[in-house]
Structures are given as structure tokens and as C-alpha cells.
Amino acid sequence: GVIYAHSHVGLCFYPSTVGFVHPAARERDLFGEVVVRAHAAGIAAVAYLSVIYDTAAYRAHPDWRIVDATGREVAADSRYGVCCPNAPYRDYIRALGAEVATRYAVDGVRFDMTFWPAVCYCGHCRARFRAESGAELPTTVDWHDPRWVAFQRAREAWLGDFAACLTAAVRAVRPAASVEHQSSVYLANWRLGVT
């Protein structure tokens, strides 16, 4: 079964030393108890971790936020805050995945929301694109502009790199564990950055 370790609101259901802990999990390891019970019933335990959609991290670290070309925070009017995988958020969520894989005998990890909810123009994306291409981020969608196409290809590569980084964090601890990234968006349009 898939068991919530970390939700869209960014709270952990176990006493994490890395992440933001749900108040009910400060004194009781809710996630750990369910893992033990699942195994006792002969059910594989797969940890669920929401990535990118992470309200607690979004609120705590304004520089991790996905922003549009005008500098407006993408999730400012949304139900959840969204964090850029090019920001230090990447290291945070990688550490969270490694923590879960280290502390619990999980059979797998499901990283949900591994896609770009919007085209991001945060300082981290701007710096990475500049370092990799020597150019500034284009702000006009123009499939005839080589710079725009390069940016879109970079977004796809960055997302794949982010997913590989999270997968490696889990596999370094649990080589036989299954690792899944949300695949329902694979057939979506270019905006989500999936190849």
C-alpha cells in the first residue's frame, strides 16, 4: 500500500529531523506505525512523498518559490505552494527521501507531482540557464526562437535530473526499493516539462 510520509501541505507524518512535522506526529510516529502494520499483514509499504507541491517549504523559504516571468509567485492564489526543483528545495526533498528510506523498511517510494506546474523564472532557474547556455531566459513562447526551444529542452532535462536525483537518494539506501514518479502527466502538453 501507498502510505503518506509527506503531503502536499509539506508536513511529515513521522518525527522527521529534516522536514516540517505534522503536530499529530510529533509524539507519535504515524507513518512508521502504518508501515509496521502493513508488513504484518503481508502488504508492501510504499512511502508517499509530495514534491514541488509543498506548502510548508514554500512558506518557509520564499526564494524556493516558482515564479512567473513577471516575478509573481505562481501559487499565491492557489491551494498549495509550489517549490522550484532548481532551488535548494532539491537538496531538502532529496534529504527527506533519504531519511524515509533510511529510517523505515519501505518497499518503495512514490514521489508525486514530479512536473513543472508552470514555467519558472525564479533566480535559481535564471542562474542555471545562464550557466548552462550563456543566455538569459526568454519570456515569450516562440517555437521558432532557438533560445525558447533551448529553455524548454532545459526544463525537460532539469526535471529528469531532479527525478534521477531523488531516485538515487532512495536507491543509495535501499537498492531493491521501487521508485515511482507521477506518470499521469507524461502525455500532457509542453508546459509541465515532461519529455
Side-chain angles (χ1 to χ4, degrees):
V2 177
I3 307 160
Y4 270 79
H6 175 259
S7 73
H8 285 22
V9 295
L11 299 179
C12 299
F13 297 104
Y14 66 95
S16 174
T17 60
V18 174
F20 303 91
V21 180
H22 190 287
R26 290 186 185 133
E27 302 296 325
R28 183 175 176 194
D29 188 345
L30 303 169
F31 173 75
E33 290 176 21
V34 177
V35 169
V36 168
R37 289 180 183 171
H39 284 154
I43 300 170
V46 175
Y48 175 101
L49 282 88
S50 179
V51 300
I52 298 174
Y53 282 70
D54 191 329
T55 304
Y58 173 89
R59 289 180 178 159
H61 302 279
D63 69 305
W64 293 4
R65 296 174 181 178
I66 291 178
V67 298
D68 67 17
T70 68
R72 181 179 172 270
E73 297 165 4
V74 170
D77 301 322
S78 177
R79 185 174 172 190
Y80 301 110
V82 289
C83 297
C84 178
N86 281 331
Y89 177 75
R90 170 194 180 98
D91 299 326
Y92 165 75
I93 203 68
R94 178 179 59 209
L96 204 61
E99 179 182 60
V100 167
T102 300
R103 288 176 62 176
Y104 302 98
V106 294
D107 301 288
V109 175
R110 180 177 197 269
F111 291 106
D112 193 17
M113 312 309 274
T114 313
F115 61 86
W116 292 99
V119 178
C120 185
Y121 289 89
C122 75
H124 304 288
C125 286
R126 290 178 184 279
R128 187 169 182 181
F129 189 70
R130 192 179 308 114
E132 293 177 0
S133 72
E136 297 301 318
L137 290 181
T139 57
T140 302
V141 178
D142 179 355
W143 295 102
H144 299 287
D145 176 2
R147 193 168 49 118
W148 169 259
V149 174
F151 178 37
Q152 176 61 17
R153 296 299 172 250
R155 293 176 68 239
E156 295 166 0
W158 295 340
L159 191 63
D161 179 59
F162 178 67
C165 169
L166 300 181
T167 298
V170 171
R171 293 265 170 82
V173 179
R174 297 201 172 276
S178 66
V179 179
E180 173 196 356
H181 293 271
Q182 180 180 5
S183 60
S184 64
V185 296
Y186 287 1
L187 299 178
N189 69 27
W190 64 269
R191 290 182 192 274
L192 301 184
V194 294
T195 60

